[in-house]
Amino acid sequence: MRYIETIETLKSIPGWEFVTSFSVGGFEWLAFSEKCPTKLLIISSQKATIVDVDTGTINDCNVEYDEDELIAYCDTLPDEELQIVGQYGGIIILRRM
């Protein structure tokens, strides 16, 4: 299935709303915030970003992370230790309506 076909299929799933899709070059790690569950931290070899899964907005952030302990700290999500998971892949976000 081509990319555009995949997106069109995802848009047609009953009860779900397509929010956004994007490619992450150099994907390494990701984490969902427990305090702000609509915030997704993505760490790539080029930069770190926060995605708001409700709106699909993407903003750069500063992050420190430990690959051995699988934790990260992000300036956008202060006072929270984020559990990171990885590696390899792309992300498509849907929201249940």
Side-chain angles (χ1 to χ4, degrees):
M1 187 178 281
R2 294 182 327 205
Y3 177 77
I4 193 68
E5 293 169 326
T6 302
I7 297 303
E8 292 306 314
T9 299
L10 292 170
K11 288 179 179 180
S12 68
I13 298 173
W16 289 83
E17 176 187 8
F18 178 83
V19 177
T20 189
S21 90
F22 53 93
S23 177
V24 179
F27 174 81
E28 293 179 350
W29 304 99
L30 71 83
F32 274 100
S33 168
E34 289 187 37
K35 292 182 179 180
C36 302
T38 63
K39 305 296 183 191
L40 171 65
L41 170 66
I42 300 174
I43 302 168
S44 76
S45 58
Q46 289 94 23
K47 63 182 177 177
T49 55
I50 291 287
V51 179
D52 184 316
V53 299
D54 275 342
T55 64
T57 58
I58 301 170
N59 295 300
D60 291 351
C61 63
N62 294 309
V63 66
E64 296 290 331
Y65 61 98
D66 185 317
E67 294 178 353
D68 294 324
E69 296 295 321
L70 298 176
I71 57 172
Y73 298 94
C74 174
D75 64 344
T76 306
L77 301 166
D79 305 321
E80 184 173 7
E81 183 176 273
L82 301 159
Q83 303 297 310
I84 58 175
V85 297
Q87 286 185 326
Y88 311 114
I91 297 171
I92 296 174
I93 297 175
L94 300 174
R95 177 177 57 213
R96 185 143 180 90
M97 295 171 47

